[in-house]
Amino acid sequence: MSATMKELLEAGVHFGHQKQRWNPKMDKYIYSDKNGIHILDLRITYSALEEAQEFIQKIVANSGKVLFVGTKPQAQKVIEEQATRAEMPYVNQRWLGGMLTNFKTIIKRVVYLKELIALESSGEINSYPKPERLRIRREIAKLTKSIGGIIELNKVPDAIFIVDLLNETTALTEAKKLNIPVIGLADSNVNPEHVDIVIPGNDDAIRSIEVIATTIADSCLKGLGKRQKASEKEEKE
């Protein structure tokens, strides 16, 4: 287990929203309330994290990919850092409608971005007139911002980790349409109904998002380690 109960507590993972902002469907994940703020049950959070880790390790060990999603300002940097560390794809800017359900079209944009990057890195771009070079570089910057995090994703992901289910309803809807398992950091104001592994926790505080995302990333890395060991074993045999 990457995150200890003490770390979850120190990161404020247990702090939900004000009582009047709650979603009754989160009732079973709420421990109590203090000064009008819901307190989430960290025992459930801890147990859900263990379940998520085991699930993710198996997926990654079997050559699967986990898409990290979190586009709210507090989550953007953490999502990029942890997904990159775990060698996994991510979306930390705007979720493009159809990113999963219309994946073939998205992939065409990814291929186009790769072609433009190749132009730049090979130096071939220097043979173009200056206005064209500027246009290409602007296009690279624009596409990198929107789809740069999924540049190595060549098929729909095997699972999705979402921070803030209320903010990422389109991602959640698309995942459910395609039966892609969802692991979600769920605050007291969300509907956890369509989430496969619900991790009750504060989705507003950077430290809370960080401790959960780091644990998910660690699971990916353990899965990659297992995949590597299995591959080495096969080579020896």
Side-chain angles (χ1 to χ4, degrees):
M1 179 74 186
S2 293
T4 63
M5 190 66 91
K6 184 172 181 270
E7 284 169 336
L8 295 175
L9 202 61
E10 286 173 351
V13 176
H14 57 302
F15 290 122
H17 284 277
Q18 291 175 331
K19 280 171 73 179
Q20 64 264 34
R21 286 186 62 201
W22 81 310
N23 187 316
K25 287 175 181 173
M26 281 297 290
D27 187 45
K28 66 177 178 180
Y29 303 105
I30 291 168
Y31 177 71
S32 67
D33 63 88
K34 189 177 180 183
N35 301 326
I37 303 283
H38 272 132
I39 304 297
L40 295 155
D41 194 331
L42 280 188
R43 292 168 301 182
I44 301 175
T45 306
Y46 188 85
S47 172
L49 264 177
E50 284 193 316
E51 186 189 346
Q53 283 186 290
E54 204 174 301
F55 180 67
I56 287 166
Q57 273 186 53
K58 279 181 187 169
I59 281 177
V60 178
N62 288 319
S63 302
K65 289 198 173 179
V66 179
L67 178 64
F68 284 55
V69 181
T71 63
K72 68 198 295 182
Q74 304 96 304
Q76 287 175 348
K77 191 180 175 197
V78 175
I79 287 294
E80 182 176 356
E81 284 175 352
Q82 293 308 320
T84 303
R85 182 173 72 87
E87 297 175 35
M88 291 293 148
Y90 66 89
V91 175
N92 73 334
Q93 298 297 322
R94 189 172 66 87
W95 179 271
L96 301 175
M99 193 170 270
L100 298 176
T101 50
N102 196 12
F103 193 70
K104 283 180 181 175
T105 302
I106 298 293
I107 278 294
K108 283 176 187 169
R109 301 301 288 160
V110 169
V111 169
Y112 177 53
L113 173 58
K114 283 182 174 177
E115 286 168 358
L116 294 182
I117 289 170
L119 269 184
E120 175 79 277
S121 56
S122 68
E124 197 185 328
I125 193 171
N126 296 321
S127 63
Y128 288 76
K130 191 178 177 183
E132 185 63 6
R133 291 201 302 270
L134 287 171
R135 188 197 66 78
I136 290 169
R137 284 173 180 143
R138 274 198 300 268
E139 189 79 346
I140 289 173
K142 182 184 155 194
L143 287 170
T144 299
K145 191 175 179 182
S146 61
I147 56 172
I150 60 162
I151 202 161
E152 298 304 329
L153 191 64
N154 49 17
K155 64 179 183 71
V156 291
D158 301 271
I160 300 184
F161 165 59
I162 296 178
V163 170
D164 195 340
L165 299 162
L166 205 59
N167 202 46
E168 311 299 346
T169 50
T170 313
L172 184 59
T173 304
E174 289 190 28
K176 290 336 285 173
K177 266 186 190 170
L178 299 175
N179 291 318
I180 298 169
V182 175
I183 299 130
L185 176 58
D187 214 324
S188 62
N189 64 332
V190 308
N191 178 358
E193 266 184 339
H194 301 297
V195 179
D196 299 272
I197 300 177
V198 177
I199 303 170
N202 183 335
D203 65 16
D204 290 310
I206 292 172
R207 282 191 69 203
S208 174
I209 296 167
E210 194 166 31
V211 76
I212 302 298
T214 299
T215 300
I216 300 297
D218 286 347
S219 312
C220 293
L221 287 168
K222 282 175 189 168
L224 285 170
K226 285 181 180 178
R227 189 197 300 178
Q228 182 69 27
K229 277 182 186 173
S231 175
E232 286 167 3
K233 192 180 172 186
E234 269 179 32
E235 279 174 21
K236 282 177 186 174
E237 289 171 357

